[in-house]
């Protein structure tokens, strides 16, 4: 029987035609409303529907997928941080400029979070989260495209056997290539750089797009999770999803470590080892992997219903018990309504104080998220692969443990909001104490490199005109590292029995004996070995402790933020908090610390039009 005939049979025959038509219309509206209600709790879309998918429309499954999605989003952030020194060297970008690039996502988040939290409260939130994840896929592909647009670079190819053999065959090794390293009697010419702004604009555009996905995923996702989980289970669910997200940085840094062990052009054979500061790893491979996996996770996220069936059952029960749900009230989406909501949040003292406390914490501490691998490479002379492995797999493993431990304690003992706020304050004080410990964890060998860089730029090599010479460190018999053969005053080079490049006639290198014989003033290509491993282990122990303690306040801080605001303002409050944190914390912090790091640079990779990247820092002052 067709729907129309069935509806007409259910209408009384004694009604007039007008009344019968009105009754049929009401019946159709009821059926459509029921169908709409059923669509809201059905998993999937288009042809990807069915009872098989509906079995996964549970709180646990959503929290798991949300946590896994956050894991891969965090992997993207961590991978970018892990490869940041490689990007600096490859595209000759100063740290301050790269700090500006890294805040591109926070700029988008700042402008978009409040609007997303306010206007997207009644939409199909899982699908919007899926859109956010798809923008992260675009972010990965843009970062990867740099390699395919600009290639490995001439500086990297010069350090491969294939390019070196070609140089020897064409006879260029004794020409300009040699002049760029050895002492010259007349003023050197600066090196031309084909493109300096193209890579920077692509990197900034990628970060700008990432901010859109970040705002959609975090602001909408947290509100959806809190609305669709039982309040007693929220702390455990929140800790579990946070734990999964905390695995992201560990895996992201590990992926960066593996990729950076390969040379930037895997088809060539490099003449240097990964420990050499001139080594450039294959940063672009990881972006392809992340893009593919994030695309699959985005497709899974879009399959969740607008409202979970268990949540709908609780909502109907509340309606049956005449309990009004604030989320079901008619919301004013005008600008005046937004202004009223903003004024209401501004009078919430707990929300305001907690937000600004978080901003101060982010400004002072979260910058280490970006620059910790760079700091380890600079201070403790570790390879980029080792630095990213330590920052990710080791240290962030303690972060994941701290999140799980705090979630268990909060779920079992259910401390008061005052107790959770007090613990957050204790965590801040411990973090400050731990950061101050970093000042005294130095390395004598690393500091010696800095002092030799100043020495090699003195009047001894001033006549060699080394201002635009590539950073190509050499090691003297006294175990002193010089910036290049030019800075050591070397006049000639040859090959020894081991195939190493041997520089001779180095006027600025003190001979190893008391007799000053020019023939004994020589150096070998490559930096001298510096052993800072014990100091690195001490630094790593302190960092792991800070990660463990700091992560224990993540869940408690978020619970305070969620519980101190009414349910109808939850999404908007999260958006406003994210916007203010980006404006006052996430955006100025990397720019300020990037400028501070550049201030202590000793050796710049100068070109005709650009100061380039920094090759060597004053480690003691920087520390």
């Amino acid at each position: 029987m067709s729907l129309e005939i069935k509806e007409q049979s259910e209408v009384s025959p004694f009604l007039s035609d007008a009344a019968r038509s009105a009754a049929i219309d009401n019946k159709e509206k009821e059926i459509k409303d029921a169908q709409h209600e059923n669509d809201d709790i059905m998993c999937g879309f288009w042809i990807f529907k069915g009872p098989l998918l509906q079995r996964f429309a549970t709180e646990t499954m959503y929290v798991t997928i949300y946590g896994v999605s956050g894991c891969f989003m965090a992997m993207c952030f961590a991978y970018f941080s892990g490869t940041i020194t490689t990007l600096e060297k490859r595209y000759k970008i100063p740290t301050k400029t790269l700090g500006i690039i890294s805040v591109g996502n926070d700029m988008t988040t700042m402008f978009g979070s409040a609007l997303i939290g306010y206007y997207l409260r009644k939409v199909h939130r899982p699908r919007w989260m899926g859109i956010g994840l798809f923008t992260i896929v675009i972010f990965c592909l843009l970062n990867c495209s740099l390699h395919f647009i600009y290639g490995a670079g001439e500086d990297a190819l010069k350090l491969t056997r294939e390019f070196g053999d070609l140089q020897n065959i064409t006879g260029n090794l004794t020409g300009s290539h040699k002049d760029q390293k050895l002492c010259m009697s007349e003023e050197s010419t600066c090196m031309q750089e084909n493109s300096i702004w193209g890579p920077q604009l692509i990197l900034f555009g990628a970060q700008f797009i990432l901010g859109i996905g970040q705002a959609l995923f975090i602001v909408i996702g947290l509100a959806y999770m809190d609305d669709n989980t039982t309040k007693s289970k929220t702390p455990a669910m929140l800790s579990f999803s946070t734990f999964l997200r905390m695995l992201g940085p560990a895996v992201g840094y590990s992926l960066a470590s593996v990729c950076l062990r390969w040379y930037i052009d895997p088809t060539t054979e490099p003449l240097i080892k990964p420990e050499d500061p001139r080594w450039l790893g294959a940063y672009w491979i990881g972006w392809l992997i992340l893009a593919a996996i994030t695309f699959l996770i985005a497709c899974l996220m879009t399959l969740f219903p607008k409202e979970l069936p268990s949540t709908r059952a609780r909502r109907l029960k509340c309606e049956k018990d005449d309990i009004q749900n604030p989320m079901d009230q008619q919301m004013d989406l005008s600008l005046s309504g937004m202004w009223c909501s903003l004024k209401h949040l501004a009078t919430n003292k707990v929300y305001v104080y907690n937000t600004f406390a978080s901003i101060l914490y982010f400004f002072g501490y979260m910058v280490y998220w970006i620059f910790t691998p760079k700091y380890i490479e600079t201070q403790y002379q570790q390879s980029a692969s080792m630095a990213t492995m330590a920052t990710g797999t080791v240290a962030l493993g303690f972060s994941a443990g701290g999140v799980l431990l705090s979630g268990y304690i909060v779920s079992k003992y259910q401390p008061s909001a005052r107790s959770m706020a007090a613990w957050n304050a204790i965590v801040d004080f411990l973090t400050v104490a731990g950061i101050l410990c970093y000042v005294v964890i130095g390395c004598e060998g690393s500091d010696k490199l800095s002092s030799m860089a100043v020495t090699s730029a003195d009047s001894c090599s001033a006549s060699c005109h080394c201002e635009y010479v590539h950073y190509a460190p050499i090691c003297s018999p006294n175990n002193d590292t010089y910036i290049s053969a030019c800075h050591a005053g070397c006049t000639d080079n040859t090959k020894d029995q081991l195939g190493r490049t041997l520089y001779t006639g180095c006027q600025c290198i003190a001979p190893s004996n008391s007799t000053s014989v020019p023939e004994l003033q020589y150096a070998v290509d490559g930096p001298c070995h510096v052993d800072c491993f014990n100091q690195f282990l001490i630094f790593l122990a302190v960092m792991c402790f800070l990660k463990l303690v700091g992560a224990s306040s993540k869940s408690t801080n978020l619970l305070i933020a969620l519980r101190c605001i009414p349910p109808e303002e939850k999404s908007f409050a999260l958006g406003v908090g994210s916007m203010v944190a980006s404006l006052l914390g996430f955006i100025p912090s990397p720019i300020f610390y990037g400028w501070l790091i550049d201030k202590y640079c000793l050796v710049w990779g100068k070109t005709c039009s650009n100061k380039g990247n920094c090759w060597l820092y004053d480690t003691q002052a920087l520390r």
Side-chain angles (χ1 to χ4, degrees):
M1 182 183 295
S2 66
L3 179 63
E4 184 178 357
I5 298 176
K6 185 177 180 180
E7 290 171 354
Q8 291 178 356
S9 65
E10 293 176 357
V11 179
S12 174
F14 300 102
L15 295 176
S16 64
D17 292 341
R20 182 176 298 181
S21 177
I24 293 175
D25 291 340
N26 291 333
K27 196 69 176 180
E28 289 178 349
K29 186 176 182 302
E30 292 176 3
I31 294 174
K32 289 181 180 179
D33 291 341
Q35 290 176 345
H36 182 69
E37 287 284 337
N38 289 332
D39 290 340
D40 286 347
I41 62 171
M42 289 294 294
C43 270
F45 61 91
W46 195 36
I47 61 174
F48 303 101
K49 290 184 179 181
L52 182 63
L53 287 177
Q54 193 62 22
R55 293 187 300 175
F56 298 101
T58 62
E59 299 175 7
T60 304
M61 183 56 64
Y62 169 75
V63 172
T64 302
I65 297 297
Y66 182 73
V68 171
S69 303
C71 173
F72 284 103
M73 185 173 69
M75 282 178 63
C76 295
F77 282 98
Y79 190 83
F80 181 82
S81 299
T83 58
I84 199 168
T85 54
T86 302
L87 293 173
E88 285 184 11
K89 296 174 185 177
R90 168 60 188 92
Y91 301 106
K92 299 177 176 58
I93 305 175
T95 304
K96 181 179 67 175
T97 304
L98 207 50
I100 296 174
I101 290 173
S102 66
V103 302
N105 66 83
D106 296 303
M107 294 180 181
T108 319
T109 303
M110 178 185 68
F111 291 112
S113 293
L115 296 177
I116 289 172
Y118 188 76
Y119 286 107
L120 299 185
R121 287 183 282 181
K122 299 293 286 183
V123 298
H124 197 298
R125 289 183 283 190
R127 292 179 185 172
W128 279 93
M129 283 186 280
I131 294 175
L133 292 173
F134 283 124
T135 62
I136 296 177
V137 175
I138 300 175
F139 160 76
C140 296
L141 294 177
L142 282 175
N143 285 321
C144 179
S145 68
L146 283 175
H147 178 75
F148 297 100
I149 296 174
Y150 297 101
E154 184 180 356
D155 292 343
L157 293 176
K158 285 179 180 179
L159 300 173
T160 62
R161 188 172 303 279
E162 291 80 359
F163 192 91
D165 292 341
L166 180 62
Q167 291 263 339
N168 290 328
I169 293 172
T170 57
N172 290 335
L173 188 60
T174 59
S176 62
H177 183 63
K178 177 181 176 182
D179 290 343
Q180 288 182 3
K181 289 186 177 180
L182 301 182
C183 182
M184 290 163 284
S185 58
E186 59 184 21
E187 190 173 351
S188 61
T189 57
C190 62
M191 295 174 292
Q192 294 289 341
E193 184 69 17
N194 294 330
S195 176
I196 59 173
W197 294 110
Q200 297 179 22
L201 291 176
I202 292 176
L203 287 172
F204 183 82
Q207 290 287 333
F208 196 81
I209 292 175
L210 175 64
I212 300 175
Q214 180 185 4
L216 285 171
F217 182 80
I218 294 179
V219 174
I220 297 178
L222 285 175
Y224 184 85
M225 179 172 63
D226 196 52
D227 290 340
N228 287 272
T229 56
T230 307
K231 299 309 176 186
S232 60
K233 295 181 181 179
T234 299
M237 294 287 189
L238 192 60
S239 297
F240 180 63
S241 65
T242 306
F243 166 73
L244 291 177
R245 290 201 304 273
M246 291 303 298
L247 293 179
V251 181
Y253 277 119
S254 300
L255 179 62
S257 177
V258 173
C259 293
L260 293 179
R261 292 176 187 173
W262 298 330
Y263 202 57
I264 188 170
D265 187 353
T267 62
T268 60
E269 181 183 354
L271 298 174
I272 58 176
K273 296 181 179 180
E275 291 77 19
D276 193 298
R278 294 169 292 175
W279 177 275
L280 294 179
Y283 71 93
W284 54 276
I285 295 178
W287 291 121
L288 290 176
I289 299 173
L290 291 173
I293 299 177
T294 306
F295 179 83
L296 295 176
I297 296 297
C299 294
L300 292 178
M301 179 60 73
T302 57
L303 296 177
F304 278 96
K306 185 177 181 181
E307 183 182 37
L308 293 179
S310 57
T311 304
R312 183 191 178 191
R314 289 194 299 270
R315 178 172 59 82
L316 293 177
K317 184 177 184 302
C318 291
E319 291 176 356
K320 184 178 180 180
D321 296 338
D322 294 331
I323 301 177
Q324 189 177 22
N325 186 359
M327 293 297 293
D328 291 335
Q329 297 178 3
Q330 185 67 29
M331 294 186 298
D332 182 10
L333 298 181
S334 63
L335 291 178
S336 60
M338 179 188 292
W339 179 247
C340 291
S341 298
L342 190 61
K343 288 193 296 183
H344 190 260
L345 287 177
T347 59
N348 190 327
K349 293 184 179 181
V350 177
Y351 172 78
V352 172
Y353 294 158
N354 188 62
T355 299
F356 276 94
S358 300
I359 290 170
L360 293 174
Y361 182 82
F362 291 148
F363 186 93
Y365 184 72
M366 288 303 290
V367 69
Y368 287 96
W369 173 266
I370 301 175
F371 294 125
T372 293
K374 180 182 179 69
Y375 184 83
I376 292 175
E377 291 181 50
T378 302
Q379 285 286 344
Y380 307 109
Q381 301 303 308
Q382 301 298 310
S383 66
S385 176
M386 175 62 74
T388 53
M389 179 66 71
T391 307
T393 306
V394 179
L396 290 175
F398 283 83
S399 295
V403 170
L404 284 180
L405 181 62
S406 64
Y408 171 77
I409 293 176
V410 172
S411 298
K412 183 174 182 179
Y413 298 102
Q414 298 182 353
S416 63
R418 186 180 298 273
S419 299
M420 290 190 290
W423 173 247
N424 292 346
I426 293 173
V427 167
D428 290 348
F429 283 113
L430 291 175
T431 300
V432 171
I435 291 178
L436 291 178
C437 290
Y438 290 158
V439 178
V440 298
I441 309 175
C443 177
E444 183 180 354
S446 182
D447 294 342
K448 184 180 178 181
L449 281 176
S450 301
S451 63
M452 285 306 301
V454 176
T455 303
S456 64
D458 62 10
S459 58
C460 175
S461 62
S463 60
C464 290
H465 307 288
C466 306
E467 184 179 4
Y468 292 103
V469 172
H470 275 290
Y471 179 70
I474 61 172
C475 182
S476 72
N478 301 327
N479 203 38
D480 294 331
T481 300
Y482 289 80
I483 298 173
S484 70
C486 180
H487 289 83
C490 304
T491 57
D492 200 3
N493 65 344
T494 183
K495 293 284 185 180
D496 63 6
Q497 296 178 350
L498 300 177
R500 301 176 302 177
T501 302
L502 194 67
Y503 296 95
T504 57
C506 304
Q507 303 172 10
C508 300
I509 296 179
S512 56
N513 53 23
S514 58
T515 305
S516 180
V517 182
E519 287 76 10
L520 297 178
Q521 295 173 276
Y522 70 94
V524 180
D525 189 32
C528 300
H529 175 68
V530 177
D531 186 10
C532 297
F533 193 70
N534 291 333
Q535 293 86 345
F536 167 60
L537 291 180
I538 297 174
F539 171 84
L540 186 61
V542 176
M543 184 171 65
C544 289
F545 172 75
L546 292 181
K547 294 290 186 182
L548 177 67
V549 174
S552 65
S553 67
K554 290 183 179 294
S555 299
T556 53
N557 183 64
L558 194 52
L559 280 172
I560 293 174
L562 289 173
R563 292 292 175 266
C564 70
I565 50 181
E568 67 273 14
E569 295 181 352
K570 195 175 302 175
S571 296
F572 184 54
L574 290 173
V576 171
S578 180
M579 181 188 70
V580 177
S582 297
L583 178 63
L584 301 180
F586 292 128
I587 291 178
S589 179
I591 298 175
F592 170 74
Y593 282 99
W595 167 83
L596 195 64
I597 292 173
D598 281 345
K599 186 178 179 181
Y600 297 104
C601 179
L602 298 175
V603 181
W604 289 99
K606 294 182 180 180
T607 62
C608 294
S609 56
N610 188 27
K611 188 163 57 174
N613 63 290
C614 182
W615 285 102
L616 198 63
Y617 292 92
D618 184 348
T619 53
Q620 186 175 8
L622 184 62
R623 191 167 61 249

